[in-house]
Amino acid sequence: MTDGYVQQPGSNTDVRVDGKRVAGKIKFNPPGSGGSRPEMADRDMDFIPEVEGGNESQPAGQHLHDKYRTGTSVGKRTPLVDGNAKVTGQAWYGDDVRLPNEIIGRIVRSPHHYAKVKSIDTSKAEALPGVLAVSTGADAPQRFGVLPVTKDEHAMAVEKVRHVGDLVACVAAIDEPTAREAAALIEVEYEVLDAVHDPKKGLLDVDDPIHWRGQYHIGSTNVQKRVFQEFGDRSKLEQARATHHGKWKFMGVNHGFTEPHAVVAHWDSNGRLQLYTPQQVPHYAHRALATVLDVPMHQVNVIRTFVGGGFGGKSDPFPHEMCAAILARKAGRPVRITFDREEVFWVNRGRHPSHIEVQMFADEDARISGFEIDALIDGGGFASFGHVTSYYNGVLATAPYELGSFHYTGARVWTNKPASGAMRGHGAVNTRCAIEVGMDDLAEKLQVDPIDLRLANLLPPHSKTITGFRITSNGMRQALERVREGSQWDSKFRKLPLGKGIGIGCGFFISGSGLPIHWDPNKFPHATVHIQIDMDGGVTVHTGAADIGQGSTTAIAQVVAEVLALPLEMIHVRSHESDTSPVDLGSYSSRVTFMNANAAISAALEIREQLVDAASGILDMPAEYLILNDRRIYSKRDPAIGVSYLEALHKSQEDKGALIASGAYRTPPMGGVHKGAAAGLAPAYSFSAYVAEVDVDVETGLIKCTDVWAAHDCGKALNPLAVEGQIIGSCHMGLGQVLSEQMVYGRTGHLQNPNLLDYKIPSVHEMPNVTPIIIESCDPEGPFGAKEAGEGPLLPILPAVVNAVYDAIGIRINDLPLTPDKVWAAIAKKMKREDIAEAQDLPTPRLDFSELQQKIVQRSSQHGGRDSRRQRSEDTDPYINGVLFGFDPTVPPEDQDGDWKIAVRPTSEQLEGLGLAGSAWTKIEQRKMEDGK
Amino acid sequence: MVGDEHVSMIPAAHTKVWNSEVNGQPQEVLAPSNAVLLDVLRDKVGCLGVKRGCDMGTCGCCAVMVDGQPRLSCLTMAQDVQGSTITTVEGLADGAHLAPIQQCFAEHGGSQCGFCTPGFLISSQALLDKNPNPTDAEISTAIEGNLCRCTGYQQIIQSIQAAAEIHRGDASPAKPASSAHSDPHPSGPN
Ligand code: FES
Ligand code: FES
């Protein structure tokens, strides 16, 4: 190359003679070159929609952002922009932050499940040479918590400890051995209280509830939150043709991210706190730190390091972050605290151990006339995200099927365990497993194919669920059809020999939550992105989006590159510091790509407009005639007429310097008015369907999942490489929960496996061969049509495996994980009951279609046509849940059926018949007691 | 005051000189005689690319090559490998040029959050050094001690296969990153 700018490294794939790769170089047109340069890349027509003159077909309808597609990056398999940092060891995680003069912090943890802290004597620790600071709960009396409604945590125990491993005190010393030693020298006097371990006991009145919520406390129980929801007409349930009843037990599971928590706190020379932490949600940590440390938020700079896996486990503000800051303030030196793996389990925030009971009903037309769900979830010692989890366990079951009625009772109780919280697939995973297995059972009882049963009961695109969620794009039908085809379902299902089985499961998940946790009543946006371009032409993108490995930084860079038609190497995303990043609500509820990419697009469009204006000025040509491509802006009609990107940029910088734009995203107003209507609301929903094949060894009960066909509707794959990575990774995590992972609490309530040896995460040998199938339904609200792909793909794997196990051995086990001992016990029980001598003689389920099969196949093919018309916006009539049951879609359901109900608390007659969790409603809130009721 | 009655929890270890060649550079550091290699590498030599995921040999994040063999540095006493040649993730690249294994992990989705990546790179480089033509099963065996919570391993195996191809001198690295039937252009709902 002789002239032009040179930049490296790029992604050139040339290989040197010795096999080493040559660092790539990208060629730049010098300013003013005008566009005659032959090396300018052709527009990549395969990635530009037909409406804009390209080749990409758009079966799912057009999108608002189509006209900004330049064929640069969106839809291409794109390596992570921070990938090189990760493969060279330069990525800096929590424990890799080393500041000059740092000291080491250690936390003193409770050895008791539940106890009053009577006194703490720190004098011996303080006297130990090398100890620089000691702190106890008295130093930080302020409460915090991730949800403003349930702030129930302290930096360290103020009055009580609530689980083994709860924080009591902390120390900082010159090195780790000294800090450990000092921690051991702290003497704490406890008065041990009666602990609650079994969540069922959490429903009972006790003398000393784990937390006290004053007038809102429910009786004197340990119920933290209870939910009741009833929608629809339950009077028809008695005439059901088939019913399913499932009583489930799910063990708690942990995120198992590879990077243990770590934090570095440093009060700089101006007295501002610089806090380095691998946080998914730096903004909430920021808020909580300000509260607990009693400093204004602008005196805290939260620096998100690289995050070594989050999955929900690094999204609460954590007490150890407060501890580090307190110690650093006392010692006047930077303090680093790094967790042992065991401590990760004490902090937990994993998936709730749950008791879930479902009853499901199908009528004579194989329509789903009702779901009844009762979920008792074990929250452990703190509220965390539990308020939301309590809703999600029910409301996220209201799609993708059209329901005749929906009844949900949920309760979350405090127990003396490490707190449960949000984990990938938050709140939806366990119930989803129960109802998808229920669908399988209903199909069996109706004698129809379970995929056809689902296909005949799907809500169409652009519809409303029974609780009023707005469904926009919906690729469920395609997902089911694609996995059916890919797995050769029809030639395998109920036809495989004993020990081999195939099963189906579906999923439905939110893509960003409609209501931000902290944001009302102000109408702040959910996400804001700033873009800045100075004369060098490089694009700096400021965002608070926390990349936790899912590739959000890459997605944001991609959409900016796409709109501005610049190579990815010219986009620099800055997202680590709260000082420079606009506020972002963080990486939870699968919101980051959806919301931040939307914000980034709107900022990039502002810049694009300025560039095009400048070009149109130089070329004296109307802006509408101009298109962007590969660092050049030129006429659609004659590509030779144009200006380079830099030329247009410099022109538009005249008199004002750097181009700066800000874009924001906020969800549209949505949802019903009933209590709890906001829980589960999202601007878009993802859908998925998986088919799993398993081998079950009937002699030992060992299950091996061999193949998975995993179809996920992510709207539009901005980066198919990352979407596939998310799908396969979700399979891995879900497979762990269904086959091997569990937090085992022994008879005394003690966690027995707080390490990665006994907590069994699948290794490479346990992984099936996963075939990811990306479904693109082009969401009208999503950035270039995209929806989430990080959490939804986890849901279907659990039921798919459980259903496949039934197909293999004819036994349904409702107690996860399906460890060999449980499976073998179930086999042995069945052999005994049915008097079978050899496990090899176990019968396997077979399927004889009833007359309904033909009926539902017919119905689903009609619905198929309806759905594709709706998806392409050829049919824009309103559709509400209930139309399948004869409703008029333009009239609210409650006005067309006298028996249709909406209720958010039980009537006094109902109280008797409620399930386990529902029984929480038999207790009276304190404030109502005082009224004498 | 800490009186005579105070018995130290961890008996103080005396400090010893530790020297080895790390990533091509001779190193001479003072470290406690009972230090594990992981701590010496991270805290004394400054190789922060070596990660601590568990400290008990269960995650593989801390893998380094000692005299060409992959070892878990959290289970290796520094004094036991005194005088050896050690390669960490920082030593894989050749100056500004990424090693094929690094490039392929970055390009084929072998790294998501990246915390496990240094360990995987070491295990797989050690495999490729011995066996430039590994089967998927051989790769699985080589990385069975490495835990990854993000990727589900599939793209890691693909990355290693791609690197093997480059090692073999198969000069066409541009093969699809996934054998999976992904479908960026679905045929539509009909
Ligand atoms: S830190 Fe060495 S194996 Fe986990
Ligand atoms: S990439 Fe996150 S643990 Fe492997």
Side-chain angles (χ1 to χ4, degrees), chain A residues 7-12 26 28 81 538 561 566-572:
Chain A
Q7 192 169 324
Q8 54 181 335
S11 48
N12 196 325
I26 43 173
F28 280 75
V81 292
L566 297 174
L568 218 47
E569 289 83 352
M570 290 177 70
I571 317 290
H572 317 298

Side-chain angles (χ1 to χ4, degrees), chain A residues 44 79 92 172 237 249 252 314-315 502 521 570 597 666 718 728 742 752 755 777:
Chain A
D44 199 338
W92 47 288
L237 297 183
K249 191 167 158 220
K314 291 174 181 163
S315 50
I502 188 167
M570 290 177 70
R666 204 169 150 255
L718 298 177
I728 303 166
Q742 53 183 328
Q752 293 179 333
N755 61 66
S777 59

